[in-house]
Amino acid sequence: MTLDAVVASVLDRITPEIGQGRVADYIPALARVDPSKIGIAVATLDGGLHTAGDAHEAFSIQSVSKVFTLALALGKVGSDLWQRVGREPSGSAFNSIVQLERESGIPRNPFINAGAIVVSDILLAGGRPKETTAEILSFLRRLADDDTVAIDAEVAASEAETGYRNLSLANFMKAFGTIDGPVADTLDVYFHQCALSLSCAQLARAGLFLANRGVDPVTRQRVVAEYRARRINALMMTCGHYDASGDFAFRVGLPGKSGVGGGILAIAPGRAAVAVWSPGLNDSGNSHAGTIALEELARETGWSVF
Ligand code: GLU
């Protein structure tokens, strides 16, 4: 079967699942998203793009952005980053505060909220939030090879208005000395990165360097060192789906990162980057239909790191 036929058949297979699960409503601007949306995009190393459904419609990538900010921060501070963030699955909810207390304010990994807030703080590095946000946006535009990639200001504002938990996490870590910058500045960066708006086609394209040992296979530019690409993939596999990361590895067998906007980026090393979007979330906060789509796609293509 061609990849176009595979994505078309995956879309057919998951159509009955669309609309199941719950759209994230703790961020008011996300609650307004149409739950019937579904998009699939597969970007291959030769520059090919195979899409189905609403693959060209932009959505809020939310925590999928954490993969890109981690890549950017590792490029800046290198392995020093690991003095402030761990590399273990958390086994708790993405916004949990309990573990932080027990573990002296060092978040378990860069993909839970606390860890990603520390990564935002590392990128901020005492600078101005607007400039750091612009740097993150231009990184995403370069990776997606598309200058139309944008940040949804309404989503960012909505998160800032209702982000009491994130504010607690950041203040808590500030008390432990894990956060350097003013909490408000660090969170400003974090909320804006979460509000990045990309289509599945753009997201798959942006993730392609992770499927190609850290080099963008189309522009041939190196984005991260090869060993870093491998490590980011390892973290996506072990920590990319909140406390359901083990289940995702079991069902899909590919490194993946999900977001509460209903998007998931999955990496098939040496082959492709895949992005899916369906806003209805399962109980663990991961896209219900999106996860099934990736499970089907992995089965049809035989792509798995195992
Ligand atoms: N901006 C969201 C939050 O901080 C991201 C959550 C997610 O996608 O996991 O709550």
Side-chain angles (χ1 to χ4, degrees):
M1 231 196 295
T2 65
L3 269 178
D4 281 324
V6 169
V7 292
S9 91
V10 168
L11 185 70
D12 275 354
R13 156 71 186 86
I14 57 169
T15 299
E17 310 286 343
I18 298 168
Q20 288 193 42
R22 285 194 50 196
V23 174
D25 56 5
Y26 73 100
I27 301 169
L30 288 186
R32 291 197 280 279
V33 174
D34 177 356
S36 68
K37 294 289 180 186
I38 176 81
I40 309 171
V42 179
T44 48
L45 295 199
D46 59 4
L49 182 68
H50 309 269
T51 61
D54 305 305
H56 293 281
E57 189 171 324
F59 62 93
S60 191
I61 69 167
Q62 291 294 315
S63 283
V64 184
S65 65
K66 295 171 182 173
V67 173
F68 301 107
T69 49
L70 175 64
L72 196 57
L74 282 171
K76 289 198 152 189
V77 301
S79 301
D80 286 353
L81 184 141
W82 303 118
Q83 287 171 8
R84 288 163 69 183
V85 192
R87 306 185 293 249
E88 285 296 336
S90 70
S92 25
F94 66 102
N95 54 9
S96 167
I97 204 163
V98 182
Q99 212 161 38
L100 266 184
E101 162 108 70
R102 279 200 310 264
E103 299 180 2
S104 311
I106 304 289
R108 273 285 173 105
N109 68 66
F111 294 155
I112 50 173
N113 284 12
I117 291 169
V118 174
V119 172
S120 303
D121 187 63
I122 289 170
L123 288 176
L124 181 64
R128 290 166 193 265
K130 268 200 169 35
E131 281 162 19
T132 308
T133 298
E135 185 187 2
I136 295 169
L137 179 60
S138 75
F139 185 54
L140 263 293
R141 285 180 171 168
R142 181 184 132 206
L143 293 178
D145 203 9
D146 189 339
D147 281 344
T148 68
V149 167
I151 288 175
D152 187 327
E154 192 197 340
V155 171
S158 186
E159 292 211 38
E161 266 164 41
T162 56
Y164 304 111
R165 254 188 187 266
N166 287 322
L167 200 64
S168 312
L169 290 169
N171 276 308
F172 201 60
M173 289 191 290
K174 179 84 184 170
F176 277 104
T178 318
I179 298 280
D180 284 341
V183 164
D185 288 1
T186 300
L187 284 177
D188 192 76
V189 174
Y190 174 74
F191 291 140
H192 280 88
Q193 81 178 54
C194 288
L196 274 158
S197 190
L198 276 81
S199 67
C200 288
Q202 290 169 326
L203 186 57
R205 172 70 185 82
L208 209 45
F209 72 99
L210 287 171
N212 191 44
R213 302 164 188 257
V215 174
D216 181 325
V218 182
T219 63
R220 308 222 175 268
Q221 278 183 9
R222 176 162 293 285
V223 181
V224 291
E226 179 171 351
Y227 75 96
R228 288 224 165 100
R230 220 181 286 134
R231 289 174 170 181
I232 294 169
N233 282 329
L235 287 166
M236 289 171 78
M237 178 68 92
T238 52
C239 313
H241 276 72
Y242 317 119
D243 43 341
S245 299
D247 190 56
F248 185 82
F250 181 87
R251 288 168 63 185
V252 179
L254 295 173
K257 180 73 202 86
S258 71
V260 294
I264 305 175
L265 172 66
I267 305 298
R271 299 175 187 278
V274 185
V276 296
W277 172 47
S278 172
L281 307 179
N282 60 26
D283 290 342
S284 314
N286 300 307
S287 174
H288 168 76
T291 306
I292 298 172
L294 286 169
E295 201 174 358
E296 290 291 314
L297 188 104
R299 198 178 48 75
E300 287 283 349
T301 56
W303 292 347
S304 166
V305 300
F306 300 109

